[in-house]
Amino acid sequence: MSYVAVLDAVRNGPASTRPEIADVLHLGRNLVAQRVAWLLSSGLLAEGELSRSTGGRAPRNLRLPAEAGRILVAELDALYLTVASADLQGGLTGFVREAADINDGPERILNRVADLFEQKSDGVGVPLWGIGLGLPGPIEFASGRPVSPPIMPGWNGYDVRGHLSQRFQVPVWVDNDVNVMAFGEHRKGLATSYEDVIYVKVSTGIGAGLICGGRLNRGSQGSAGDIGHIPVEEGRAILCRCGKLACLEATAGGGAIVRDAETLARTGDSPALAAVLQRVGSITLTDVIDAARRGDRTSNELLVRSARMVGELISRVTNVLNPSLILIGGDVTEVGDVYLAEVRQVVFQRAMPLATRALRIEVAPDGDLAGLRGCAFMVIDNLLAPDVASRWISRGSPVGVPDLV
Amino acid sequence: MSYVAVLDAVRNGPASTRPEIADVLHLGRNLVAQRVAWLLSSGLLAEGELSRSTGGRAPRNLRLPAEAGRILVAELDALYLTVASADLQGGLTGFVREAADINDGPERILNRVADLFEQKSDGVGVPLWGIGLGLPGPIEFASGRPVSPPIMPGWNGYDVRGHLSQRFQVPVWVDNDVNVMAFGEHRKGLATSYEDVIYVKVSTGIGAGLICGGRLNRGSQGSAGDIGHIPVEEGRAILCRCGKLACLEATAGGGAIVRDAETLARTGDSPALAAVLQRVGSITLTDVIDAARRGDRTSNELLVRSARMVGELISRVTNVLNPSLILIGGDVTEVGDVYLAEVRQVVFQRAMPLATRALRIEVAPDGDLAGLRGCAFMVIDNLLAPDVASRWISRGSPVGVPDLV
């Protein structure tokens, strides 16, 4: 019991020296010294620099040693995947990003992820603690299985955890991609000092990850934050891939922007986009962003309209959740300040004053890295959660954790 | 440390006998026996009946003794107040409800609450642990002060906690009225086995209390759940008391129903309501409900329209939060099944299938009692929270808690 409490106090920051641990946990100094000695000997804590003295001998700082274990992490999107290796502080190495169509199905995609994992030589010799994965759809967190994911239908109910844990013989955790991005920014990133955070990802689709009271909020079935399928007024005539009418995603998402851009290219409303369409045969979100940057009014209007609708919906979610930080991530971050400015204006104008009194709205520029970091902390936090950690600490073997979970 | 862990294990249910405590907390049996002995001697635990034997002597059940302390609780609404005394299991006695206009201001209303508290003879001789209060507006939970509350402007920033703690010399906690209702149903009521709950109160105003992942979610400024001021399409021309247009509350709340009922009485669309207006000079929500019951089509339509708009908004909040239980409370519960049926139909039709797959929507019939119970548990849970309890346990005096907080 007290081993885990000591570890948690150091890991989560309230204490970093033996005297501080004793204070924070209301434990005797002898007991703390004994617990720390054991955690040091088992490699779960390491000694760092001398702390400031408060009279008497300066105590030594303690920390979770980044190098005591490694985590393999992967984040999958509709059209590409990223993998990396992480240390116990969420530090990433060996980052790889490559194209991959999620519709190739779980077997093929997960085998590719596993092959990339095996090619990683970084950290070899360091025990592998586990694997963390982010997937672009709702996930039943307890089982690690996708649940009716709209953009990856072939994955419905697939045993993602089983597939990877069988091959690597370590525990595996799986979560929604935006959840791990929000979690990554919260554990080590832009949102570390915020307890109530909404991470909104606007790429082809639109989704959100919610940190409520300092904890990731997945809802009862893992679909919390699914704001892309809330109807918006302007979308009345638009059918979404989810089967409903007027969804935010179908009206303001990256896919919708591209669809509308192609229409406006064909009608001649945008000469710049018409030129792209004629040259390449199709238009991407990047084309629209480039055209807007080069002064194409129609492209700019498309992007601002998306930002306005996204902002409008965020203003409502802000009334419901009263966050202190909203991060805008995903492909639209390439648009730059114009997008953020429009979202900000709409949210501060439409939401209740109290709900926005202490609110910051910022861009989260690199969702992939945040997502991979989130995957790493998902594994670390679950392995070091009090009930799990006390079990394997009581068996005396922190290293080679997997078989004990 | 381990005292609190033992107390928590018993209080929150995972263990009720000494062997179970040892298992759940991974503590040695001798240590558990010693901790339990101290908690028994200090009156924080009591022994109950024999548990089932699992071979060998049957262990004795332990419980938090309801009678070891008492809590004074009050719930304030716009037009009335309720007070009661609670034991440590949330059992209520001495329930009093009386008319009180919140606009009389904090001094007068809180003095009345305090007078009613002092008249309570139930539980005298039992130490008073604290006071819990629910107020109809956003509350900054850390300070217990109302923050720009729309229906109680004179209370803005008032030191509610200081007012009562000075008079009773015990710790005081204050929260929003719908929050304590949600919390009361969650700790001991309809929502005890649900981790993700939305409690929607539809009375004169409309608000929600959110339980996310088993914890009350107040947001960063205490305004989470403020769904009454989200705009709805039908409300375009309606100015809300919050100063914005088209709010759900101004379109579908009890006040809106009464306003529309008076209009329809005057235009002659509802002979039943016209008769009431002529007889009494004004119309209440109860009049509209009575008229609907007696077959008045216009009154029925007003109520169903409110339910439809409330349901529409709940369907969106359901996509965001993915709850497993939604409770509908407040004055509209008097409408009966018609209201609930309409809300259910709209939510299940409009929200994403995954978000409603395991969703129940029910009526919460007695919000006042749930609110008072919520106030009691707010006090108990805060006093027995690990950091607080370990502080006063380490000083050896669980009774007479207040001066130690």
Side-chain angles (χ1 to χ4, degrees):
Chain A
M1 189 65 201
S2 49
Y3 290 101
V4 178
V6 168
L7 188 58
D8 263 13
V10 173
R11 214 163 64 83
N12 297 324
S16 57
T17 64
R18 289 171 182 80
E20 285 169 6
I21 295 168
D23 278 0
V24 167
L25 299 180
H26 311 283
L27 293 175
R29 300 218 165 185
N30 283 341
L31 187 65
V32 169
Q34 187 199 330
R35 295 317 190 226
V36 167
W38 188 87
L39 290 164
L40 287 169
S41 74
S42 66
L44 278 173
L45 283 183
E47 290 198 292
E49 292 159 24
L50 285 178
S51 178
R52 275 178 315 164
S53 165
T54 54
R57 201 159 52 120
R60 202 166 274 282
N61 277 317
L62 297 162
R63 60 179 176 82
L64 183 69
E67 63 286 0
R70 67 193 174 101
I71 322 286
L72 291 168
V73 290
E75 171 100 319
L76 276 60
D77 202 324
L79 296 172
Y80 63 90
L81 60 82
T82 52
V83 300
S85 180
D87 64 31
L88 300 189
Q89 306 274 15
L92 299 174
T93 48
F95 179 83
V96 174
R97 176 185 172 127
E98 63 176 43
D101 186 347
I102 197 91
N103 285 316
D104 285 348
E107 298 276 346
R108 203 158 145 194
I109 296 284
L110 293 176
N111 281 338
R112 179 63 190 152
V113 167
D115 289 345
L116 289 169
F117 279 167
E118 277 185 350
Q119 287 164 23
K120 302 226 148 302
S121 56
D122 28 277
V124 165
V126 177
L128 180 63
W129 276 31
I131 291 174
L133 211 70
L135 289 176
I139 308 292
E140 186 185 67
F141 186 70
S143 69
R145 291 170 193 263
V147 193
S148 318
I151 69 165
M152 40 192 284
W155 293 66
N156 186 24
Y158 187 81
D159 184 12
V160 176
R161 171 178 292 166
H163 187 116
L164 290 171
S165 67
Q166 202 164 30
R167 179 141 164 198
F168 290 91
Q169 300 295 312
V170 294
V172 176
W173 279 273
V174 188
D175 203 350
N176 168 267
D177 61 341
V178 198
N179 282 355
V180 293
M181 287 174 185
F183 192 58
E185 293 290 13
H186 182 59
R187 289 293 272 112
K188 190 175 186 173
L190 298 169
T192 42
S193 56
Y194 296 83
E195 296 288 283
D196 299 275
V197 183
I198 305 177
Y199 188 113
V200 179
K201 181 189 175 194
V202 186
S203 290
T204 305
I206 297 178
L210 314 175
I211 306 284
C212 297
R215 295 193 313 183
L216 191 60
N217 178 9
R218 298 187 178 89
S220 70
Q221 306 284 306
S223 82
D226 204 349
I227 63 170
H229 301 282
I230 293 178
V232 296
E233 225 172 299
E234 293 188 42
R236 280 183 220 195
I238 303 170
L239 181 67
C240 183
R241 60 185 171 188
C242 80
K244 298 200 181 255
L245 282 170
C247 292
L248 175 70
E249 178 171 307
T251 318
I257 294 172
V258 166
R259 178 199 63 216
D260 294 346
E262 289 189 351
T263 304
L264 293 164
R266 288 207 179 84
T267 57
D269 282 284
S270 163
L273 294 175
V276 175
L277 187 60
Q278 198 172 12
R279 201 172 62 242
V280 194
S282 66
I283 294 176
T284 65
L285 183 59
T286 308
D287 295 329
V288 180
I289 294 169
D290 284 348
R293 273 216 193 97
R294 277 182 276 107
D296 182 57
R297 200 193 173 95
T298 306
S299 296
N300 190 59
E301 275 168 11
L302 274 178
L303 297 171
V304 170
R305 183 169 153 269
S306 162
R308 181 165 43 73
M309 284 188 280
V310 168
E312 175 74 40
L313 199 114
I314 291 178
S315 77
R316 294 162 191 227
V317 178
T318 295
N319 277 4
V320 176
L321 290 177
N322 184 21
S324 44
L325 176 68
I326 293 172
L327 292 173
I328 311 289
D331 296 343
V332 296
T333 55
E334 292 169 34
V335 178
D337 291 346
V338 182
Y339 203 94
L340 184 66
E342 184 71 20
V343 168
R344 274 191 184 135
Q345 199 202 320
V346 174
V347 174
F348 284 104
Q349 186 190 323
R350 300 294 178 89
M352 287 284 284
L354 178 59
T356 57
R357 208 167 60 161
L359 176 63
R360 284 185 61 195
I361 306 179
E362 303 293 343
V363 156
D366 203 332
D368 287 332
L369 293 185
L372 293 172
R373 235 168 24 231
C375 287
F377 281 111
M378 171 168 70
V379 174
I380 297 163
D381 288 4
N382 273 289
L383 282 174
L384 297 182
D387 55 330
V388 179
S390 62
R391 209 159 60 223
W392 54 264
I393 285 176
S394 72
R395 301 189 204 183
S397 65
V399 175
V401 176
D403 62 304
L404 298 169
V405 172
Chain B
M1 190 66 200
S2 49
Y3 290 101
V4 178
V6 168
L7 188 58
D8 263 13
V10 173
R11 215 162 63 84
N12 297 324
S16 56
T17 64
R18 290 171 181 80
E20 284 169 8
I21 295 169
D23 277 2
V24 167
L25 299 180
H26 310 284
L27 293 175
R29 299 218 166 185
N30 282 342
L31 186 65
V32 169
Q34 186 198 332
R35 295 318 191 224
V36 168
W38 187 89
L39 290 165
L40 286 169
S41 74
S42 66
L44 276 173
L45 283 184
E47 289 196 293
E49 292 159 25
L50 285 179
S51 178
R52 274 177 315 163
S53 165
T54 54
R57 202 159 54 118
R60 202 166 274 283
N61 277 317
L62 297 161
R63 60 181 175 83
L64 183 70
E67 64 285 0
R70 69 194 171 98
I71 322 286
L72 291 167
V73 289
E75 171 99 320
L76 276 60
D77 201 326
L79 296 171
Y80 64 89
L81 60 82
T82 52
V83 300
S85 181
D87 64 31
L88 299 189
Q89 306 274 16
L92 300 173
T93 49
F95 179 82
V96 175
R97 177 186 171 125
E98 63 176 44
D101 185 348
I102 198 90
N103 285 316
D104 285 349
E107 298 276 346
R108 206 162 142 191
I109 295 284
L110 292 176
N111 282 338
R112 179 61 190 154
V113 168
D115 290 346
L116 288 169
F117 279 166
E118 277 185 351
Q119 287 164 25
K120 302 225 150 300
S121 57
D122 28 273
V124 165
V126 176
L128 180 62
W129 276 31
I131 290 174
L133 211 68
L135 289 175
I139 308 293
E140 186 184 67
F141 187 70
S143 69
R145 291 170 192 263
V147 194
S148 318
I151 69 164
M152 41 191 283
W155 293 66
N156 186 25
Y158 187 80
D159 184 10
V160 177
R161 170 179 293 167
H163 187 116
L164 290 172
S165 67
Q166 200 163 30
R167 180 143 163 198
F168 290 90
Q169 300 295 311
V170 293
V172 176
W173 279 273
V174 188
D175 202 349
N176 168 267
D177 61 341
V178 198
N179 281 356
V180 292
M181 287 175 186
F183 191 58
E185 293 289 12
H186 182 60
R187 289 294 271 111
K188 191 175 186 170
L190 297 169
T192 43
S193 55
Y194 296 84
E195 296 289 283
D196 298 276
V197 183
I198 305 176
Y199 188 114
V200 180
K201 181 189 174 193
V202 186
S203 291
T204 304
I206 297 179
L210 314 176
I211 305 284
C212 298
R215 295 193 315 182
L216 191 60
N217 179 8
R218 297 187 178 90
S220 70
Q221 305 285 304
S223 82
D226 205 348
I227 63 169
H229 302 281
I230 294 178
V232 295
E233 223 172 301
E234 294 188 41
R236 279 183 219 197
I238 302 170
L239 181 66
C240 183
R241 60 186 173 188
C242 79
K244 297 201 182 255
L245 282 170
C247 293
L248 175 70
E249 178 171 309
T251 318
I257 294 172
V258 165
R259 179 199 62 216
D260 293 347
E262 290 188 351
T263 304
L264 292 164
R266 287 205 182 85
T267 57
D269 283 282
S270 163
L273 293 175
V276 175
L277 187 61
Q278 198 172 10
R279 202 171 63 240
V280 194
S282 66
I283 293 176
T284 65
L285 183 59
T286 307
D287 294 329
V288 180
I289 294 170
D290 285 347
R293 272 213 194 100
R294 278 181 276 105
D296 182 58
R297 200 192 172 97
T298 306
S299 296
N300 190 60
E301 275 167 12
L302 275 178
L303 297 171
V304 170
R305 183 170 153 269
S306 161
R308 181 165 41 74
M309 285 187 280
V310 168
E312 175 74 39
L313 198 114
I314 291 178
S315 76
R316 294 163 190 226
V317 178
T318 295
N319 277 4
V320 176
L321 290 176
N322 184 20
S324 45
L325 177 68
I326 294 172
L327 291 172
I328 310 290
D331 295 343
V332 298
T333 55
E334 292 169 34
V335 178
D337 290 345
V338 183
Y339 203 94
L340 184 66
E342 184 71 20
V343 169
R344 273 191 184 134
Q345 199 202 320
V346 174
V347 173
F348 284 103
Q349 187 190 323
R350 301 292 178 89
M352 287 284 283
L354 179 59
T356 57
R357 207 166 61 159
L359 176 63
R360 282 184 62 193
I361 306 179
E362 303 293 342
V363 156
D366 203 332
D368 288 333
L369 293 185
L372 293 172
R373 236 167 25 231
C375 288
F377 282 110
M378 171 167 70
V379 174
I380 297 163
D381 287 4
N382 273 289
L383 281 174
L384 297 183
D387 54 330
V388 179
S390 62
R391 208 158 62 223
W392 53 264
I393 284 176
S394 71
R395 301 190 204 182
S397 65
V399 176
V401 176
D403 62 304
L404 298 170
V405 174

